[in-house]
Amino acid sequence: MSTIEESKGESATESDVSDYPDYTPISKLTSSDLMQLQNKKMVKHDLLLNNRLSENRHKSELHQRAKKLKHHYKEVDACDKIMAYGFIAIIFLLTGFYWFIMIFSQEIKQTFQEYHIIGHAFVYGSILLGGLNILL
């Protein structure tokens, strides 16, 4: 039975309970059950820790893993820089386009008023920019 069903006030059916054979409602757990669960977690934690700190791991394995992690973090750092510079470039381009439109809005309206081209230019420009974003 999920917490959503509990919050709705619906009761669990036999099929819901049979999906989770180890399921016991929290209200039915005793203190000894809670202690057993905590002991299992502690044993698992200790096993993982011992495995990580064991002496039989070779230095070459650790060195290889460290090299892979270092390479991975360098790639992530390079990706972060590329995204940051790209974001700044896009902000500059958008700001320049905004100021261009603000400064020359009257001239653009007067020049292209009879041709009904402004809407089409924006549509084609948007499609072109979308295509470039997909390609790059």
Side-chain angles (χ1 to χ4, degrees):
M1 176 168 67
S2 68
T3 56
I4 295 171
E5 290 174 4
E6 290 174 354
S7 65
K8 288 181 182 177
E10 298 175 1
S11 61
T13 61
E14 289 181 21
S15 63
D16 291 339
V17 175
S18 66
D19 290 343
Y20 304 103
D22 295 335
Y23 175 74
T24 344
I26 293 176
S27 60
K28 292 184 180 179
L29 288 176
T30 62
S31 60
S32 63
D33 291 337
L34 291 174
M35 291 295 287
Q36 285 177 347
L37 287 173
Q38 190 169 1
N39 287 340
K40 284 182 184 178
K41 287 181 183 179
M42 291 298 292
V43 167
K44 185 178 179 181
H45 182 269
D46 290 341
L47 285 174
L48 286 172
L49 188 62
N50 288 336
N51 189 24
R52 288 183 187 148
L53 299 176
S54 66
E55 294 293 326
N56 61 356
R57 294 185 75 173
H58 297 288
K59 287 184 179 181
S60 62
E61 290 176 14
L62 293 173
H63 185 68
Q64 286 292 82
R65 184 168 186 257
K67 280 177 63 175
K68 287 179 185 176
L69 282 172
K70 184 177 179 181
H71 179 69
H72 169 74
Y73 285 120
K74 282 183 181 179
E75 287 179 344
V76 169
D77 187 42
C79 183
D80 287 345
K81 286 181 183 177
I82 289 169
M83 287 192 298
Y85 289 132
F87 177 75
I88 297 299
I90 288 170
I91 293 299
F92 278 131
L93 288 172
L94 288 175
T95 305
F97 181 68
Y98 171 77
W99 281 107
F100 177 80
I101 294 296
M102 292 302 291
I103 292 170
F104 297 109
S105 63
Q106 287 298 328
E107 289 83 0
I108 291 171
K109 286 179 185 176
Q110 289 172 356
T111 305
F112 296 111
Q113 186 175 11
E114 23 185 278
Y115 296 108
H116 303 290
I117 196 167
I118 295 177
H120 299 293
F122 280 112
V123 169
Y124 292 136
S126 299
I127 292 171
L128 182 66
L129 284 175
L132 285 174
N133 281 330
I134 290 172
L135 289 175
L136 299 175

